[in-house]
Amino acid sequence: NAGVTQTPKFQVLKTGQSMTLQCAQDMNHEYMSWYRQDPGMGLRLIHYSVGAGITDQGEVPNGYNVSRSTTEDFPLRLLSAAPSQTSVYFCASSYSGRGDSPLHFGNGTRLTVT
Amino acid sequence: TQLLEQSPQFLSIQEGENLTVYCNSSSVFSSLQWYRQEPGEGPVLLVTVVTGGEVKKLKRLTFQFGDARKDSSLHITAAQTGDTGLYLCAGYGSGGSNYKLTFGKGTLLTVNP
């Protein structure tokens, strides 16, 4: 049982480049989300989805796009990378997205923008 | 935005000692979760508390949810080196904040042998 799989594990981008962080889960969870983790800032919610075709913004959505075409996949797109987007990105999923079900996290993508 | 303040931010203790980590907010949370994160990995859920005043025990870890559902604590008895990690509290707000889990900044615990 793979759980939540994130690729790549590491990525270095130059300012202005674009890329997509991949996230896939095999638990048939309806809810998926993206967080970024920065030193001293904790985990901050970027975007989330409560099901295929439905997405919404979190606390820090600017500079990021998402889509949810299937239940399994929830990619995060950076259209024009900036140094401020240097961070560790975590994808997470849960059955309902509410307090009755825990979030299952991937092992993160460490992104550096130079 | 509902904020969760964790204290202390850093904690370094010797094996066998007891410790308590606090998670406080001015907002009411419908439920609160505690996660533990190890280097290079994502957070892993330890417990969910839902009812005000609730106490849950997980081996040497005791979790308490405040009566007003605004605060929580994690107490570890006789800490072991394997308890080392980043402890995060996270809460779902009441009314309108479903689906948005807010995290505290975490407490980095180091247990020395």
Side-chain angles (χ1 to χ4, degrees):
Chain A
N1 190 351
V4 178
T5 302
Q6 290 185 239
T7 56
K9 291 187 177 181
F10 301 94
Q11 183 70 49
V12 179
L13 291 178
K14 294 185 177 179
T15 298
Q17 287 185 319
S18 63
M19 78 159 296
T20 299
L21 280 64
Q22 301 292 343
C23 175
Q25 54 91 9
D26 61 0
M27 297 172 281
N28 202 31
H29 285 166
E30 289 296 325
Y31 179 87
M32 297 186 74
S33 57
W34 277 101
Y35 285 85
R36 60 178 289 174
Q37 186 173 36
D38 303 289
M41 298 296 293
L43 283 155
R44 292 181 291 171
L45 181 64
I46 304 172
H47 286 286
Y48 66 95
S49 168
V50 299
I54 306 170
T55 64
D56 205 345
Q57 296 181 350
E59 180 186 355
V60 287
N62 292 340
Y64 307 95
N65 284 346
V66 291
S67 59
R68 184 96 179 269
S69 56
T70 66
T71 299
E72 295 77 20
D73 300 299
F74 191 43
L76 179 72
R77 297 184 188 85
L78 285 71
L79 297 180
S80 180
S84 61
Q85 294 178 306
T86 293
S87 186
V88 181
Y89 291 85
F90 287 98
C91 179
S93 73
S94 73
Y95 175 73
S96 69
R98 299 175 186 264
D100 59 349
S101 61
L103 278 181
H104 296 262
F105 284 84
N107 283 331
T109 294
R110 186 175 295 274
L111 175 67
T112 302
V113 183
T114 61
Chain B
T1 302
Q2 296 177 293
L3 297 176
L4 282 166
E5 300 286 341
Q6 283 190 244
S7 62
Q9 188 176 358
F10 301 97
L11 189 56
S12 180
I13 62 171
Q14 295 300 121
E15 198 168 26
E17 292 183 354
N18 301 333
L19 67 112
T20 302
V21 174
Y22 299 94
C23 177
N24 296 297
S25 176
S26 59
S27 304
V28 174
F29 287 89
S30 59
S31 66
L32 202 140
Q33 299 175 340
W34 284 91
Y35 291 80
R36 190 176 102 184
Q37 184 179 18
E38 300 192 20
E41 299 182 3
V44 175
L45 180 75
L46 295 172
V47 77
T48 299
V49 286
V50 178
T51 306
E54 183 176 5
V55 177
K56 282 192 173 180
K57 292 191 175 182
L58 187 66
K59 296 183 180 178
R60 293 175 294 100
L61 278 61
T62 301
F63 303 85
Q64 187 164 5
F65 200 14
D67 291 340
R69 291 187 289 135
K70 293 183 178 181
D71 56 88
S72 181
S73 64
L74 158 60
H75 182 79
I76 301 179
T77 303
Q80 300 175 355
T81 55
D83 295 327
T84 293
L86 179 67
Y87 288 82
L88 298 157
C89 66
Y92 285 99
S94 54
S97 299
N98 284 328
Y99 309 121
K100 294 183 179 181
L101 186 61
T102 299
F103 281 83
K105 295 181 180 179
T107 293
L108 186 60
L109 172 65
T110 303
V111 182
N112 303 297

